[in-house]
């Protein structure tokens, strides 16, 4: 009887170990921040660097419609929101447990959004994919037209540090490129309603021809 009881206890213990922990946060797949988007400047694009004289560590997006809404890419928390003296209206969001489809890994990620015409969130706000972060625009010292510039970073400690700047500003500080990810490695296109997303490259050489080939999310 004692042997049988011991066997039952062992089986229950092994089953408990194999069950997923509900305390663990669910992995989330992050979607593009503009629903009907053109990529007007790609990640580390050579033609961009040749024209402007510096590397492009994110994507520039515009909309194919009249909407200029910038949406959060998933569940996250706003770490900073305000006017940066160089990059214009800026929002920084931390997305926990984000799935990186290019590598199959899961990490907390930082998204930095720049050149916004208006900001719709405040520091400390919780966001979902249905949260408007604001409208993209033409704010900042070096913006050449209305668009969203955003970049993705794995450094969640120094989340205000960006390789885009050679010298620090009031919100964004000059940082390293070693923790930056291409948006193509992370983002999904959510084709189901109400998002009904689409994405294209502009096709003028400032993007790779396959840069808009994101995995689809229903």
């Amino acid at each position: 009887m004692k042997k049988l009881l011991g066997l039952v206890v062992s089986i229950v213990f092994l089953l408990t170990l194999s069950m997923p922990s509900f305390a663990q946060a669910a992995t989330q797949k992050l979607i593009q921040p503009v629903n009907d988007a053109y990529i007007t400047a790609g990640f580390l694009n050579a033609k961009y660097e040749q024209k402007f004289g510096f590397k492009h560590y994110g994507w520039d997006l515009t909309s194919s419609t009249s909407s200029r809404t910038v949406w959060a890419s998933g569940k996250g928390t706003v770490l900073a929101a305000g006017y940066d003296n160089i990059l214009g209206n800026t929002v920084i969001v931390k997305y926990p447990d984000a799935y990186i489809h290019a590598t199959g890994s899961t990490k907390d990620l930082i998204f930095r959004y720049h050149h916004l015409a208006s900001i719709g969130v405040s520091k400390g706000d919780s966001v979902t994919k249905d949260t408007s972060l604001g409208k993209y625009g033409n704010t900042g010292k070096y913006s050449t037209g209305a668009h969203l510039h955003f970049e993705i970073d794995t450094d969640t400690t120094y989340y205000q540090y960006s390789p885009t700047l050679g010298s620090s500003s009031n919100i964004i500080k000059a940082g390293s490129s070693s923790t930056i990810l291409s948006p193509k490695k992370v983002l999904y296109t959510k084709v189901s309603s109400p998002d009904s997303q689409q994405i294209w490259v502009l096709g003028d050489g400032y993007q790779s021809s396959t840069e808009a080939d994101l995995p689809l999310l229903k």
Side-chain angles (χ1 to χ4, degrees), residues 77-81 87 90-95 108-114 123-124 151-163 171-176 179-180:
T77 302
V78 178
L79 300 183
L87 294 170
T90 291
V91 173
I92 303 176
V93 177
K94 178 181 178 181
Y95 296 103
D108 294 350
L109 296 179
I110 297 296
F111 279 38
R112 290 184 287 266
Y113 308 85
H114 303 300
K123 181 179 179 179
E151 53 197 38
I152 302 175
D153 201 337
T154 60
D155 186 349
T156 58
T157 301
Y158 299 101
Y159 55 84
Q160 291 173 263
Y161 286 72
S162 167
I171 294 178
I172 303 301
K173 312 302 180 184
S176 167
T179 56
I180 301 295

Side-chain angles (χ1 to χ4, degrees), residues 4-19:
L4 180 60
L5 181 60
L7 180 62
V8 170
V9 170
S10 297
I11 292 173
V12 170
F13 178 71
L14 290 172
L15 287 173
T16 301
L17 288 178
S18 64
M19 290 176 67

Side-chain angles (χ1 to χ4, degrees), residues 30-34 37-43 56-62 70-71 73 87 90-91 95 110-116 133 136 147-153 162 164 180-184 186-188 199 214:
L30 302 180
I31 63 176
Q32 62 192 63
V34 175
Y38 277 109
I39 304 172
T40 60
F43 184 76
H56 194 241
Y57 290 102
W59 274 0
D60 286 354
L61 299 181
T62 60
V70 177
W71 301 97
S73 288
L87 294 170
T90 291
V91 173
Y95 296 103
I110 297 296
F111 279 38
R112 290 184 287 266
Y113 308 85
H114 303 300
H115 308 313
L116 301 177
L133 301 179
Y136 72 75
H147 70 285
L148 169 70
H149 171 83
F150 76 103
E151 53 197 38
I152 302 175
D153 201 337
S162 167
T164 294
I180 301 295
L181 294 179
S182 167
K184 186 180 179 183
V186 176
L187 293 181
Y188 287 79
I199 190 167
L214 302 181

Side-chain angles (χ1 to χ4, degrees), residues 41-108:
F43 184 76
L44 292 178
N45 179 268
K47 186 176 179 180
Y48 183 100
E49 184 178 0
Q50 184 179 23
K51 179 176 181 179
F52 294 103
F54 54 86
K55 296 181 185 295
H56 194 241
Y57 290 102
W59 274 0
D60 286 354
L61 299 181
T62 60
S63 176
S64 66
T65 72
S66 60
S67 173
R68 292 187 174 185
T69 302
V70 177
W71 301 97
S73 288
K75 294 179 180 179
T77 302
V78 178
L79 300 183
Y83 188 84
D84 182 83
N85 292 334
I86 297 177
L87 294 170
N89 284 322
T90 291
V91 173
I92 303 176
V93 177
K94 178 181 178 181
Y95 296 103
D97 302 294
Y99 183 67
I100 303 170
H101 57 73
T103 61
S105 59
T106 300
K107 291 185 177 181
D108 294 350

